[in-house]
Amino acid sequence: MNPLLKKLLEPRQTEYLLVNHNFIIQETSAELHHYADTSGDAIPGADARISFPELIGIENILMSIIMGRLPSFELKGIARFADPNRPLYFDMLAIEHEGEQEDVPSKLLILIEDATEKMVMKQSLIQRANEANLLVSALAASKDYIDKVISSMGDALLVTTTLGTIKTVNQSAESLFGYSEAELIGHPLSIIVVEEKLLYQARHRYILCHQELLRELEVICTTKAGEEIWVEFSCSAIQTELQELYDFIYIGRDITERKQQEIEIRRSLAKEQELRQVKSRFFSMLAHEFGNPLSTVLFATKILEDYDDQFTSAEKQQYLQHVKSASKHMAQLLDDMRLLSSAEAGKLEFNPAPVDLQKFCSELVESIKMSYGKNHRINFICPELVAPAKKKDRESEEKQHWPALDSKLLRHILTNLLSNAVKYSPIDSNIYFELNCDNEEAKFQIKDAGIGIPIEDKEQLFESYYRAQNVGKIPGTGLGLSIVKLCVDLHGGKIDFSSDTGLGTTFVVKIPFYKQR
């Protein structure tokens, strides 16, 4: 038992003094002097008010008790500080003391009970209560301060349990993720963090090994609206009231704009690198494509200049044919480059006019055969597009049915596709060129049995100066298909292809007939 409590429960001795109606002490107990203000005056015959000045001012009340008009009067917690290190407290109770004989007047009996331990305990309890109140006030002020700091933070704050259940969020977190506080608290962190497994592993590494928590971890989060955002989290652990049980604080900052800028920078760098590669390929192609025909022209003219009198007419004609072929190749290359440059500058014109497609394609096939396809079989397939007219002016009648297309752009489309089919197909192989017109649309299909296009090259096939990886030493500029795509787009058409490496390629071009608005 507490010693102080034990002492309070023990029987306590009561001292007393007996005074008459003039407050003269008649009788005292043996230890009364311990409680007197001046111990030497607490003796019979002395005025009680000298040794107990607490009686001064209440004489009328005390006389009412002596005369029987009041039963009693009590004063509590009277203090004596004779010894500063040991204060003394007592309670005083005044009651009537009747005389033994009827003619003897009543006196006043004053009982004194030691209350030191009780008062010391009371003061201690009051002090502790005051201290507790101060502590509660300080905690409340501290909580209010922390709450204001958290609520005014620009960064999102989330507090979770070890298992990742959200316990606390601030206003910034609600604004960032689009959820209310009630929608987040009690739910797993994975409701907003896509890669929550990384944070889960980090928490358990800290619990098991006290490894440093992740700092500035960039993760993808999802908002309530389903939007993906980038958030940079820093994580800290705080000990809970239970040993070895932690809560985890996550402070997150929206870095979506920064990540987008980084992505754009990487794209720009990749584009710049790609442009460098394109530029390098372009100059390499330029040197190669112009170098060979120029060398042919220079060689042939040098031979003719130095040995003109030694050649027959047929031999001279052969060398002149080499010069003509090389010059034609360079002219075609320059024409392709001018066309591509005009298209990129937005200056490539679209001039539709009625075209006899069957005749146009037939003549084009013959031209390709003479220029490129002497060693290949180009099979042109075309149904009857226009029924014979019964009127005399047949040509005028047929022209009314011709579709309106840009013949110049169409020539670029078909020439490049047919020449590629010839270039990348084995000698003596078949090339099929089919023309169909239906539903106000012209469909051109060119199929070869050539080297095909590798899967990894298909996405970039229509880019300028790009050539597939399997072309080997077959000459080419990488401009043909990009020109085809530009010309098809100007018509508002579509181009598709299918290919198997080593088995051939089929290109399908669909061009709608132009309608005058």
Side-chain angles (χ1 to χ4, degrees), residues 249-471:
I249 300 175
Y250 298 93
I251 297 178
R253 178 171 298 176
D254 186 0
I255 58 168
T256 304
E257 185 176 348
R258 190 184 80 191
K259 292 297 290 185
Q260 289 174 344
Q261 290 174 350
E262 290 177 0
I263 292 171
E264 287 301 318
I265 290 172
R266 284 197 291 269
R267 285 177 180 169
S268 298
L269 291 174
K271 190 66 177 177
E272 185 179 348
Q273 179 67 23
E274 183 182 348
L275 288 173
R276 287 199 196 101
Q277 292 174 354
V278 169
K279 185 178 179 181
S280 176
R281 289 200 305 266
F282 171 72
F283 284 112
S284 176
M285 176 274 299
L286 201 63
H288 181 267
E289 292 299 318
F290 276 102
N292 287 342
L294 278 173
S295 297
T296 300
V297 171
L298 291 172
F299 176 76
T301 53
K302 180 67 174 174
I303 290 293
L304 290 172
E305 181 181 5
D306 293 343
Y307 304 101
D308 179 66
D309 57 345
Q310 300 180 23
F311 290 126
T312 64
S313 177
E315 290 173 331
K316 289 179 182 180
Q317 190 62 36
Q318 186 178 5
Y319 280 107
L320 288 172
Q321 186 61 39
H322 289 318
V323 172
K324 184 179 179 181
S325 177
S327 299
K328 185 178 180 181
H329 177 77
M330 288 188 290
Q332 181 62 46
L333 180 58
L334 287 172
D335 187 48
D336 287 346
M337 292 178 65
R338 279 195 298 269
L339 180 70
L340 191 63
S341 177
S342 297
E344 290 178 348
K347 296 180 180 179
L348 188 60
E349 296 181 354
F350 175 59
N351 297 308
V355 178
D356 183 350
L357 283 178
Q358 187 171 358
K359 181 180 178 183
F360 179 88
C361 292
S362 297
E363 292 176 352
L364 183 64
V365 167
E366 293 302 319
S367 175
I368 294 293
K369 286 180 180 179
M370 293 179 60
S371 301
Y372 308 103
K374 296 177 181 178
N375 298 318
H376 296 78
R377 291 181 294 276
I378 302 177
N379 304 288
F380 178 52
I381 304 168
C382 177
E384 186 70 28
L385 299 180
V386 180
K390 296 181 180 180
K391 296 181 179 181
K392 295 182 179 180
D393 193 0
R394 180 177 179 181
E395 183 179 348
S396 176
E397 181 72 15
E398 288 179 348
K399 193 170 184 179
Q400 293 178 7
H401 292 80
W402 291 345
L405 301 171
D406 188 318
S407 59
K408 183 178 179 181
L409 298 181
L410 184 61
R411 186 176 298 278
H412 284 294
I413 294 170
L414 299 178
T415 299
N416 278 291
L417 291 178
L418 286 169
S419 61
N420 280 351
V422 170
K423 185 191 302 184
Y424 297 112
S425 296
I427 293 174
D428 292 331
S429 64
N430 285 301
I431 295 168
Y432 296 93
F433 174 29
E434 184 175 351
L435 167 65
N436 286 285
C437 292
D438 191 22
N439 297 324
E440 301 296 315
E441 180 182 73
K443 177 182 176 183
F444 305 91
Q445 179 172 294
I446 298 171
K447 181 178 180 181
D448 64 54
I451 61 176
I453 302 167
I455 294 175
E456 57 270 21
D457 292 317
K458 290 183 178 181
E459 290 187 4
Q460 297 173 275
L461 196 63
F462 294 105
E463 294 181 8
S464 300
Y465 311 112
Y466 187 84
R467 303 192 72 202
Q469 300 174 23
N470 62 338
V471 297

Side-chain angles (χ1 to χ4, degrees), residues 15 137 229 261 345 386 436 484-485:
E15 305 298 330
S137 298
I229 58 174
Q261 290 174 350
V386 180
N436 286 285
V484 169
K485 184 70 167 61

Side-chain angles (χ1 to χ4, degrees), residues 212-263:
E212 184 179 359
L213 287 167
L214 297 173
R215 302 286 179 181
E216 299 180 353
L217 176 65
E218 298 177 357
V219 296
I220 298 176
C221 299
T222 53
T223 65
K224 184 178 179 180
E227 178 187 2
E228 286 194 348
I229 58 174
W230 279 92
V231 179
E232 182 182 81
F233 278 113
S234 290
C235 180
S236 300
I238 52 174
Q239 176 73 54
T240 65
E241 62 274 9
L242 299 178
Q243 187 67 24
E244 295 300 320
L245 188 62
Y246 300 91
D247 283 343
F248 292 86
I249 300 175
Y250 298 93
I251 297 178
R253 178 171 298 176
D254 186 0
I255 58 168
T256 304
E257 185 176 348
R258 190 184 80 191
K259 292 297 290 185
Q260 289 174 344
Q261 290 174 350
E262 290 177 0
I263 292 171

